[in-house]
Amino acid sequence: MSHTAVSKQGQPADAASSPAVTAAGGTPSGHDGRTTRRSLPRRLLARPEMGALLGAMAVYVFFYVVAEPFRQFDSFSTVLYQASTLGIMGVAVALLMIGGEFDLSSGVAVISSALTASMFAYQYTLNVWMGVLVALVLSLAIGAFNGILLVKTGLPSFLVTLGTFMMLQGLNLAITKAVSGNVATDSIRDMEGFDQAESVFASNVSVLGTNIRITVFYWLAFAALATWVLFRTKYGSWVFAVGGNKDSARAVGVPVTFVKISLFMTVGLAAWFVGMHQLFAFNTVQSGGGVGNELLYIAAAVIGGVLLTGGYGSILGPVIGALLFGMVSQGIVYADWDPDWFMFFLGAMLLLAVLLNLYVRKQATRR
C-alpha cells in the first residue's frame, strides 16, 4: 500500500519526501539515478523520539547536578518505578493516539479495574485470582465499549471517552461506598492467592543489590512488543494508515473498525495490568483515585513525539516521555524543593518538549 513508506517509519521516507519530479524512466530528473538522501544527523533528528531524548538528557544532567541523591542507583530505581507505572499506560495510549484517537477514561479505568478485583474477591470470599479475571473482562469491555460507540456513532473520541470517564468516576465512588461502606476497599492481604498475585504484579527484583519493582521490566517488555507490532507487522501498518486517514485506509482494504476497537481494548488491557499492580502493591484501593492520570499518559506520548492528529510517532518516544516524568517527579523531591511545583514543571516540560519536537522536525525536513 502506498502509505507504507510513511507509516512503517512513523515519518516521511527519504525518497517520498524528495521534491524532484520522477521522469518517465523512473529516476528523478536532474539526478544521476540515485535517490536523494538526507545526512545521518538529519535522519536521526527526524525520528519522532529525538526531541524527547534530548529533553531527557538535559533533565537528567540538571538533577544530577542539583540533587545529590539523584546520583545514587538506589534512588534512581525509584525514578524507574515512577516511570514504569506511567509508561505501561503510556505505551497503550501512544498506540491509540497513533491510530488517531485518545482515551480520557484511561486514568479512572485503572482504578475501576483494581476496585472490581478487590471487591469481587472480598465480598464473595474467593481466591483473589477470580477477582483478577473478572477485572480483566471488565477492563476489556470498557475498551470495547469506547471503541464500538466511537465507530458506530462517528463521535469524536474526546466526547465518547469523556462520557465514559464521568460514568466510571461516579460508579467507582458509588459502588465502593455501597459495598464496603467506605471510600476505600478492604484489605485483601490475607486472602487466598494474594501472595502469588503479588509476586506477579508487585514484586521486587534484585539488581546489583538494589530492589527494582517488577513493573520496570514489564514496562520495557511491553514497549519492545509494541515496537515490534507497530513496525514489523501488518497490524502496525494498519494503525498508521488509520491514524493518517481512515477513509483512505478503508478504501484500500484496511479493517478500520477492527483497528479502532482493538486499540481501545489495548488501553483497557494496560489499565487492568496497572490496576492489578496498584491493588497488590498497596492491598487497598481508594475509589476516588486515577482522576487526572489520563492527561499524564497523553502528555507522555506527546512529549515522545506522537501527534495528537494521529498517523505519526513511535513507542520509544513515550517510553522516554514517561522516564522524563519519573525524573522530574523524583528529582524535585531529591532536590528538596516544594513538591507543589511539580505540576508547574510538568506543564512547562510538556510545552518545551512539543516546541522542541516541532523545531527538530522542521530542521530535519529542511532542504
Side-chain angles (χ1 to χ4, degrees):
M1 291 184 291
S2 61
H3 67 269
T4 304
V6 176
S7 302
K8 296 296 280 184
Q9 300 299 325
Q11 58 186 352
D14 294 332
S17 60
S18 173
V21 178
T22 304
T27 60
S29 58
H31 294 273
D32 59 359
R34 293 172 295 185
T35 302
T36 302
R37 294 186 63 84
R38 289 174 292 178
S39 64
L40 179 60
R42 285 192 180 277
R43 279 182 282 149
L44 289 176
L45 286 175
R47 295 296 307 170
E49 63 274 0
M50 189 52 62
L53 179 60
L54 295 175
M57 292 169 61
V59 169
Y60 178 81
V61 170
F62 175 76
F63 282 114
Y64 187 90
V65 172
V66 303
E68 183 177 351
F70 197 81
R71 307 166 198 170
Q72 302 170 8
F73 184 58
D74 285 352
S75 299
F76 198 74
S77 66
T78 306
V79 171
L80 292 176
Y81 172 57
Q82 292 286 340
S84 67
T85 53
L86 174 65
I88 291 172
M89 286 299 298
V91 167
V93 169
L95 284 172
L96 179 64
M97 290 175 62
I98 293 172
E101 309 295 344
F102 57 94
D103 189 348
L104 293 179
S105 67
S106 56
V108 292
V110 170
I111 303 302
S112 296
S113 178
L115 290 171
T116 299
S118 178
M119 289 190 292
F120 186 85
Y122 187 86
Q123 296 301 320
Y124 292 99
T125 61
L126 300 172
N127 187 299
V128 296
W129 282 104
M130 292 301 298
V132 169
L133 293 176
V134 171
L136 174 60
V137 173
L138 175 70
S139 296
L140 293 175
I142 292 171
F145 172 80
N146 283 334
I148 293 172
L149 191 60
L150 179 94
V151 298
K152 293 298 183 182
T153 64
L155 291 171
S157 54
F158 172 84
L159 293 177
V160 172
T161 59
L162 178 61
T164 308
F165 160 76
M166 291 178 175
M167 289 189 294
L168 289 178
Q169 185 182 11
L171 287 172
N172 288 349
L173 288 166
I175 294 178
T176 303
K177 282 186 176 181
V179 171
S180 69
N182 205 338
V183 294
T185 60
D186 298 293
S187 174
I188 60 172
R189 172 167 288 281
D190 297 329
M191 295 187 64
E192 183 182 1
F194 181 90
D195 291 338
Q196 294 87 343
E198 183 184 33
S199 66
V200 172
F201 295 106
S203 60
N204 294 309
V205 178
S206 179
V207 177
L208 300 176
T210 298
N211 287 331
I212 297 180
R213 285 281 196 174
I214 197 171
T215 51
V216 175
F217 302 97
Y218 281 128
W219 171 40
L220 298 178
F222 293 156
L225 176 61
T227 298
W228 177 79
V229 169
L230 196 59
F231 295 109
R232 292 292 182 266
T233 68
K234 182 185 292 186
Y235 181 81
S237 295
W238 291 348
V239 172
F240 277 114
V242 170
N245 189 318
K246 68 177 185 296
D247 294 327
S248 297
R250 184 178 286 110
V252 295
V254 174
V256 174
T257 297
F258 167 74
V259 172
K260 295 278 190 184
I261 295 174
S262 62
L263 287 174
F264 275 105
M265 292 182 71
T266 300
V267 174
L269 179 63
W272 165 78
F273 191 91
V274 175
M276 294 307 95
H277 166 71
Q278 292 190 9
L279 172 60
F280 294 107
F282 305 109
N283 310 322
T284 63
V285 185
Q286 293 290 330
S287 59
V291 177
N293 286 349
E294 64 282 346
L295 300 180
L296 299 182
Y297 308 147
I298 294 171
V302 172
I303 287 174
V306 178
L307 296 184
L308 287 171
T309 51
Y312 182 93
S314 70
I315 299 302
L316 180 58
V319 168
I320 298 173
L323 181 60
L324 262 169
F325 282 133
M327 288 193 292
V328 171
S329 62
Q330 290 304 119
I332 289 175
V333 175
Y334 294 150
D336 200 24
W337 296 347
D338 187 347
D340 291 339
W341 285 95
F342 171 67
M343 293 306 296
F344 170 81
F345 284 110
L346 213 56
M349 186 174 64
L350 174 62
L351 290 176
L352 288 174
V354 171
L355 292 174
L356 180 59
N357 285 332
L358 180 62
Y359 174 78
V360 166
R361 281 200 297 272
K362 285 184 177 180
Q363 293 299 311
T365 56
R366 190 179 63 182
R367 292 290 177 182

